[in-house]
Structure formats: structure tokens, C-alpha cells
């Protein structure tokens, strides 16, 4: 079985909203973010018979649309927002800068424009998850 973190940027696919998971799984993180940023919040029609000619399939691909249909069975589907993926990427970068570069918290505050407390929460969550993974 594949690990939920199976992409080059270390995004935990299972931690993403269910509606975003098929995008990352089939298109990769960069393409998923690009498509979400271009189409987020828009409503598309998912036809009962999914073909490559459907408007939503031309944008997102047949495999992604089929998974959305199986998950939601809705004729109308609102495209999810990109913020969850972007937040995970930011958090991964923060943890990397702390661990690998030993970057001081005040520089992270300035670079990411979030509070020191938020940075500590992000890093503590990362450490807890990392220690939990080493137990198994």
C-alpha cells in the first residue's frame, strides 16, 4: 500500500479535504494547486455519463471527475478551494527551515507573516506526528 505522503513536496494526501484528494492523486500537487487556483469556487456540472468531452472533464480529467462522482453523486459540483494544499505546503516549508536550516523563529515570523505561536504550533504538531510515525 502506498503511503499517503507520495509526492515530491511531502503533502499528506489523506489530510486534505476529500474533494481535493482525487486531484492530487491523479494530477500531482503542482497541477492540482494550479487548477484549484484557476477554478476554485466555480460550479461545474457532473454528467451521469462521464466522457472526455464534458466541460468538467476537459478541465480536470476523466479519472478525477469519476472519483468526484463516486464521492458526491451530485449533478452540480463546487470546485474546492486551494487553501488546504497551500497551508500544508507552507507548514512543510516552515518545519524544513527549522529542522534543516535552524532558522530562528523571528525570521520565520517575518517571512511567513504569521505569529511565533502559530509557528510553534505547526512545528510541535509536526514533531508529534513524526514521533508517532517512529513508534510504528
Amino acid at each position: 500500500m502506498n503511503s499517503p505522503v507520495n509526492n515530491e513536496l511531502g503533502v499528506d494526501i489523506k489530510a486534505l479535504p476529500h474533494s481535493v484528494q482525487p486531484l492530487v492523486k491523479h494530477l500531482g500537487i503542482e497541477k492540482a494547486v494550479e487548477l484549484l487556483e484557476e477554478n476554485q469556487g466555480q460550479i461545474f456540472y457532473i454528467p451521469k455519463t462521464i466522457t472526455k468531452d464534458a466541460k468538467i472533464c476537459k478541465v480536470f480529467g476523466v479519472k478525477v471527475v469519476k472519483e468526484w462522482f463516486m464521492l458526491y453523486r451530485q449533478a452540480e459540483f463546487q470546485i474546492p478551494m486551494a487553501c488546504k494544499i497551500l497551508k500544508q505546503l507552507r507548514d512543510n516549508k516552515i518545519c524544513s527551515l527549522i529542522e534543516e536550516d535552524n532558522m530562528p523563529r523571528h525570521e520565520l515570523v517575518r517571512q511567513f507573516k504569521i505569529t511565533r505561536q502559530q509557528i510553534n504550533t505547526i512545528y510541535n504538531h509536526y514533531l508529534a506526528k513524526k514521533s508517532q510515525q517512529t513508534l510504528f
Side-chain angles (χ1 to χ4, degrees), residues 1-133:
M1 185 172 153
N2 289 347
S3 165
V5 180
N6 63 356
N7 53 70
E8 61 281 358
L9 297 174
V11 172
D12 184 355
I13 294 172
K14 290 186 177 188
L16 295 172
H18 292 287
S19 57
V20 174
Q21 291 177 15
L23 275 171
V24 175
K25 179 177 153 188
H26 294 293
L27 304 177
I29 192 72
E30 290 87 2
K31 187 68 175 172
V33 169
E34 177 186 323
L35 287 173
L36 288 174
E37 287 183 324
E38 288 175 14
N39 299 284
Q40 60 190 344
Q42 293 183 41
I43 296 178
F44 280 83
Y45 175 76
I46 299 178
K48 288 182 181 174
T49 305
I50 298 169
T51 66
K52 63 181 176 156
D53 296 325
K55 182 179 178 183
I56 192 170
C57 293
K58 288 180 181 179
V59 175
F60 298 100
V62 172
K63 288 180 181 180
V64 172
V65 176
K66 282 183 178 180
E67 277 200 52
W68 279 339
F69 182 78
M70 296 303 293
L71 285 169
Y72 302 106
R73 299 218 180 262
Q74 297 173 341
E76 289 185 347
F77 180 73
Q78 186 171 7
I79 303 305
M81 306 302 276
C83 61
K84 293 288 185 179
I85 296 175
L86 297 174
K87 184 176 179 273
Q88 249 196 67
L89 291 172
R90 179 205 67 192
D91 292 357
N92 290 350
K93 181 67 173 169
I94 288 169
C95 293
S96 172
L97 289 170
I98 291 171
E99 284 216 329
E100 296 168 16
D101 299 340
N102 203 21
M103 185 178 274
R105 303 296 198 272
H106 70 276
E107 288 183 29
L108 293 168
V109 167
R110 187 173 31 250
Q111 181 176 340
F112 292 97
K113 297 180 181 14
I114 58 176
T115 67
R116 183 183 185 95
Q117 182 179 0
Q118 288 173 298
I119 289 169
N120 287 333
T121 300
I122 290 165
Y123 189 60
N124 289 337
H125 178 74
Y126 164 78
L127 290 176
K129 193 173 179 181
K130 188 176 173 181
S131 70
Q132 189 176 35
Q133 290 173 347

